[in-house]
Amino acid sequence: MDDQPGPVTADDVRFAVAAAVAALRPGAGGDWSAPAGDLTWNCWETIEHLADDLFCYAAQLGAGGYAGYLPFEAAPRYPGGEPNTIRSDPAAGAEGLFAVLTAGAALLAAMVRVTPPTVRAHHIYGPADPEASGAMGVLETLVHTYDVARGLGVDWTPDPAACARVLARLMPEVERTEDPWADLLWACGRVGLPGRPRREQWGWDNTHQGAEIPNSPCQS
């Protein structure tokens, strides 16, 4: 594709989460204990994981170059579950969960907006500048909303321009088609495409320099 997408911005983070909440709200009364797509997490856990990611990406930027992941205490809700720092009280229902997710997006967007571009936040896929941190939040939102939408039986098709911007920032090596959303789903191991089998392992590059990065099972 010839057109070069612009940078990922703080507004992309907020708009992605707002669109995700709007898409999931019709399924709010559904079975949140159902598996989220092909993940081992259920729908509720997956949104908690997403909210935790957004919070942690914001906090890593705020730590100003802390050498490693911040030592927040995290624990699973049950033995073998996903250890999160951020959780939503189930008694507050889906609307409470959506509020926690929206707050996480606001925190990350604010940090992306005010953090100097020279700051690098620790991440397994390379030091992340503010744009990369925002792009990670958008990627996680778009893809995990796909997982949860499958579990709840609702429709989800995000803004293709946002998908293109995320791919350009984090996965510039991915072969592009006329459908950036399908390209992002393939890049994150969710679907196969004609001539391209579904990925079993995948990752991205925060440094935007084509550096070799570790593979990750498609649980993230």
Side-chain angles (χ1 to χ4, degrees), residues 10-85:
D11 284 340
D12 284 321
V13 177
R14 293 178 54 249
F15 293 159
V17 169
V21 169
L24 296 176
R25 186 166 273 127
D31 182 6
W32 285 86
S33 68
D38 296 331
L39 302 183
T40 59
W41 302 327
N42 66 33
C43 292
W44 187 279
E45 291 173 305
T46 302
I47 295 298
E48 284 189 328
H49 164 82
L50 174 56
D52 194 71
D53 278 344
L54 299 178
F55 167 78
C56 289
Y57 295 160
Q60 292 291 150
L61 279 176
Y66 184 83
Y69 287 116
L70 292 168
F72 291 118
E73 183 174 349
R77 192 180 288 280
Y78 58 87
E82 174 75 355
N84 289 328
T85 297

Side-chain angles (χ1 to χ4, degrees), residues 70-182:
L70 292 168
F72 291 118
E73 183 174 349
R77 192 180 288 280
Y78 58 87
E82 174 75 355
N84 289 328
T85 297
I86 300 300
R87 295 214 193 96
S88 180
D89 184 350
E95 286 303 319
L97 182 63
F98 294 153
V100 169
L101 178 61
T102 300
L107 289 171
L108 177 55
M111 290 306 302
V112 169
R113 190 171 281 117
V114 303
T115 301
T118 53
V119 170
R120 297 294 181 269
H122 175 80
H123 193 272
I124 188 175
Y125 291 151
D129 65 9
E131 185 195 357
S133 298
M136 289 194 294
V138 175
L139 181 150
E140 296 274 4
T141 298
L142 302 182
V143 174
H144 282 316
T145 302
Y146 168 81
D147 299 326
V148 175
R150 291 179 64 198
L152 296 179
V154 297
D155 294 328
W156 166 240
T157 303
D159 176 13
C163 299
R165 288 192 288 275
V166 167
L167 283 167
R169 180 60 183 84
L170 298 180
M171 299 173 157
E173 79 288 352
V174 169
E175 181 182 346
R176 301 292 298 282
T177 71
E178 295 298 322
D179 186 347
W181 176 221

